[in-house]
Amino acid sequence: MERAAVFDVDGTLVDTNHLHVVTWWEAFRQAGHRVPMHAVHRAVGLASTDLIGHLLGDDRDKDQDAGLSAAHKALYGQYFDRLPALPEAGELLRRLAHDGWKVVLATSAGGAELGALRRAIDADDAITATASADDVEAGKPAAEPVEHALELAGVPAERAVFVGDTVWDMRAGSRAGVRCVGVLCGGIPRADLEEAGADAVYADPAHLLASLADSPLA
């Protein structure tokens, strides 16, 4: 039977989490909101509207949401030509594809942002499909992004592993019924990832690649 390796992208394969922190912080600042960077960091991985709600609360002026998202998108877009892949991210995806895994990306990014991330990873030959924010109604920690990735791969949950760097990833994967692998390169502590559902935790893609034989992706 076929197997699917589903990957989050930001903070998991590409070193972008802190770029998101700074650009969200600046978007909030420009709109008159003082949001601590550590709070933004913990919210990275949520879809834009969910991130804004998580940080500003349900009683915020929701008419500002679109403007905040647009400001973040414009600020972050300045980095599209130099997004840095994490160590051996592309090599990990190509190794898994070579070993018979269907590699699927599940990300809240879409459009030009997703294109920039894929260029950074530079492993399109290994990627079977991509489940982006454009394809689902509810983002992580809902199960829908991971479930959609499995549909694209044509693989059941019990034959899949989801790799991510945030508690939102681990919760989404757990709710979708897949085994979850955490990576620390997004800046979230090991204990938090394990509490949210990670079966195993590695430093970064290079560490996971070097440890494949003893990992859930063996």
Side-chain angles (χ1 to χ4, degrees):
M1 290 180 63
E2 292 180 320
R3 304 174 294 177
V6 182
F7 282 84
D8 170 64
V9 180
D10 283 297
T12 300
L13 297 172
V14 188
D15 194 10
T16 51
N17 278 11
H18 289 86
L19 295 177
H20 279 297
V21 171
V22 171
T23 51
W24 270 117
W25 173 86
E26 177 61 14
F28 285 124
R29 190 198 67 80
Q30 291 177 4
H33 300 288
R34 297 182 63 181
V35 181
M37 287 197 191
H38 71 85
V40 179
H41 181 215
R42 303 288 295 191
V44 166
L46 293 170
S48 292
T49 301
D50 295 333
L51 181 146
I52 294 167
H54 183 76
L55 293 169
L56 298 185
D58 291 335
D59 59 347
R60 71 191 185 281
D61 179 3
K62 295 181 182 178
D63 291 340
Q64 281 195 337
D65 286 7
L68 285 165
S69 293
H72 164 257
K73 186 175 182 178
L75 291 160
Y76 181 67
Q78 298 175 81
Y79 297 99
F80 279 2
D81 62 347
R82 55 192 187 279
L83 299 180
L86 282 154
E88 299 187 45
E91 290 86 343
L92 172 61
L93 301 192
R94 282 190 286 271
R95 168 66 182 277
L96 290 170
H98 178 268
D99 289 349
W101 290 82
K102 285 190 169 182
V103 176
V104 184
L105 306 183
T107 173
S108 58
E113 180 182 346
L114 178 57
L117 291 165
R118 290 185 66 142
R119 287 193 297 275
I121 300 166
D122 192 24
D124 276 356
D125 54 315
I127 298 170
T128 298
T130 300
S132 78
D134 304 328
D135 305 320
V136 296
E137 292 184 8
K140 305 165 194 170
E144 189 177 350
V146 180
E147 290 171 344
H148 181 56
L150 298 179
E151 290 172 5
L152 292 174
V155 173
E158 60 270 18
R159 297 284 298 171
V161 176
F162 180 44
V163 183
D165 68 298
T166 69
V167 296
W168 318 117
D169 292 325
M170 300 302 100
R171 290 175 184 171
S174 296
R175 289 170 180 169
V178 304
R179 295 190 70 186
C180 295
V181 169
V183 288
L184 299 173
C185 41
I188 301 302
R190 175 186 299 270
D192 291 10
L193 296 174
E194 290 175 342
E195 183 179 352
D199 293 309
V201 179
Y202 300 89
D204 56 17
H207 184 206
L208 177 54
L209 177 60
S211 308
L212 272 183
D214 299 314
S215 79
L217 289 156

